[in-house]
Amino acid sequence: MRRLTAILLPLLLAGCWSTGGIDAVAWEPPAAGAATPERGLEAATLVADGLLEMPEDVAVDPADPAGPIVTGLADGRIVKVVERHPGEATVQPFARVRGIPLGMKFGANHTLYACVSGLGLIAVAPDGTVRDLVTTVDGKPLVFANDLDIAADGTIYFTESSTRFDATGAGPIRAIAENRPDGRLLAYDPRTGATRSVATGLYFPNGVTLTHGGQALLVAETSRYRLSRVWLDGPKAGTTEVVPHPLPGIPDGLMNDGAGNVWIALVPRDALLDTLAPHPWARNLVAGLPDGLLTGMAGGNSVGVVASLDEDGRVKRVLQDSTGRMKGGIANVAPVGRNLYMGTKWGRWVAVLPL
């Protein structure tokens, strides 16, 4: 508490009385998973380093694994990144959307599906034509559509991290700091155009992936540092349970590789964040800081960490960048073919790691 007071007292004296529009709740962080990080991310190649702004997720068409890396940028552009020679990449325009493109994945017929914060769920045809699929649910606009996965029958499952904050500026930081269960998991049926709620009361649901057999979805509840399993089929269908195995970090994006392995992007645990957890008044105060200061604090401390899990959530291995090249941290991972593709929230690159 003494350290906490030493940090927050100058903010009070400086007149930072705003709560940033949040009403935080007290909680106790779980114990961190005991996993020793390995070297390994040093072998990753940073592509288009310095040419991209917040390329949070990446997608490669499984039908064209040698094709370009597709990513979304903070200004609403969706671009193709082509590395013609090592260290020499070009960024080509593909589409533009009204909002911030986040989670994305290719489906049938080379169609790219993407979650767009501030808009909803969209489809992008191979020629770059954008079609809005879901912008409202139950008559209310979607606020923070975040990540998605596509089932074998074409159903698109996607998360809405918050119904109050979007991805603009420090919106995600404030939503996580508030730590209220106002997130949900939705399902869009392309055959009927209908959207239904699959799970509600989630704590900043972020990355989502189907298990290998399609019986369940794994969802990263970022603000609670955990994974949850949402059952779609079998005797537990319609129920949600917390995965009991602790993670060695704070979860972000995740994706099944189709062989029963789940790759997940992690943010290292921070002692100050854990200290703030039981003190809602302190998190309210921090959330009142200017956007630039909050995002600078978050981005400056991020390092690259990914882990491989089994489908029960047990950690198999953890890879960490020990070089400091992956400044801005890893936000999403996409295993496609023989490579692991990675995007970043606060950096200006996308990365490729041969598997």
Side-chain angles (χ1 to χ4, degrees):
M1 177 62 82
R2 187 174 300 171
R3 181 191 176 203
L4 179 61
T5 302
I7 293 171
L8 295 179
L9 184 58
L11 302 181
L12 284 168
L13 294 176
C16 295
W17 300 93
S18 170
T19 65
I22 77 167
D23 183 16
V25 295
W27 72 291
E28 290 292 336
T36 303
E38 308 171 23
R39 296 173 63 91
L41 289 183
E42 293 81 4
T45 299
L46 300 190
V47 182
D49 191 8
L51 302 180
L52 307 169
E53 184 67 33
M54 289 177 59
E56 183 158 339
D57 201 4
V58 288
V60 174
D61 191 345
D64 184 19
I69 301 169
V70 178
T71 188
L73 305 181
D75 62 4
R77 286 181 296 153
I78 299 176
V79 298
K80 295 180 178 180
V81 180
V82 180
E83 188 177 38
R84 303 194 181 280
H85 305 285
E88 182 182 332
T90 60
V91 178
Q92 304 171 357
F94 181 34
R96 182 178 285 275
V97 297
R98 308 183 310 277
I100 301 176
L102 300 174
M104 54 185 59
K105 190 172 184 179
F106 278 95
N109 302 317
H110 309 286
T111 300
L112 178 74
Y113 295 92
C115 288
V116 180
S117 175
L119 178 61
L121 180 68
I122 65 166
V124 185
D127 65 358
T129 302
V130 177
R131 181 164 55 99
D132 295 347
L133 300 180
V134 186
T135 59
T136 62
V137 174
D138 297 331
K140 296 180 179 180
L142 289 172
V143 176
F144 198 157
N146 195 330
D147 199 16
L148 61 88
D149 202 359
I150 306 172
D153 65 359
T155 300
I156 301 173
Y157 295 94
F158 65 103
T159 55
E160 185 179 27
S161 296
S162 172
T163 56
R164 297 182 56 236
F165 300 92
D166 62 19
T168 305
I173 299 171
R174 293 191 173 98
I176 292 170
E178 187 172 60
N179 210 334
R180 288 185 178 272
D182 68 337
R184 55 184 173 172
L185 176 66
L186 301 164
Y188 167 75
D189 187 340
R191 296 163 296 189
T192 64
T195 302
R196 61 184 173 89
S197 178
V198 179
T200 59
L202 301 176
Y203 290 87
F204 201 88
N206 199 334
V208 59
T209 190
L210 285 147
T211 57
H212 182 51
Q215 275 200 319
L217 290 150
L218 291 176
V219 180
E221 291 190 272
T222 299
S223 64
R224 287 293 167 109
Y225 305 177
R226 70 192 186 191
L227 294 182
S228 286
R229 182 183 290 107
V230 179
W231 289 98
L232 303 174
D233 198 5
K236 295 184 179 180
T239 65
T240 301
E241 61 187 17
V242 175
V243 173
H245 308 293
L247 294 168
I250 303 171
D252 199 331
L254 68 159
M255 185 181 289
N256 197 311
D257 67 1
N261 302 302
V262 176
W263 285 94
I264 184 169
L266 296 169
V267 176
R269 292 279 290 267
D270 182 270
L272 177 58
L273 291 179
D274 289 353
T275 301
L276 291 173
H279 306 291
W281 63 270
R283 301 207 309 284
N284 288 344
L285 183 61
V286 171
L289 294 173
D291 275 24
L293 185 54
L294 284 174
T295 57
M297 291 166 60
N301 294 329
S302 296
V303 298
V305 183
V306 299
S308 173
L309 318 174
D310 66 20
E311 290 193 335
D312 289 324
R314 298 182 183 89
V315 177
K316 300 169 73 172
R317 60 188 307 203
V318 179
L319 303 179
Q320 181 168 318
D321 169 38
S322 62
T323 66
R325 292 182 310 136
M326 291 181 163
K327 185 176 181 181
I330 299 171
N332 275 287
V333 289
V336 180
R338 298 188 178 187
N339 292 322
L340 187 70
Y341 298 88
M342 292 164 277
T344 174
K345 172 69 173 175
W346 308 111
R348 297 175 58 84
W349 45 265
V350 292
V352 184
L353 177 69
L355 293 175

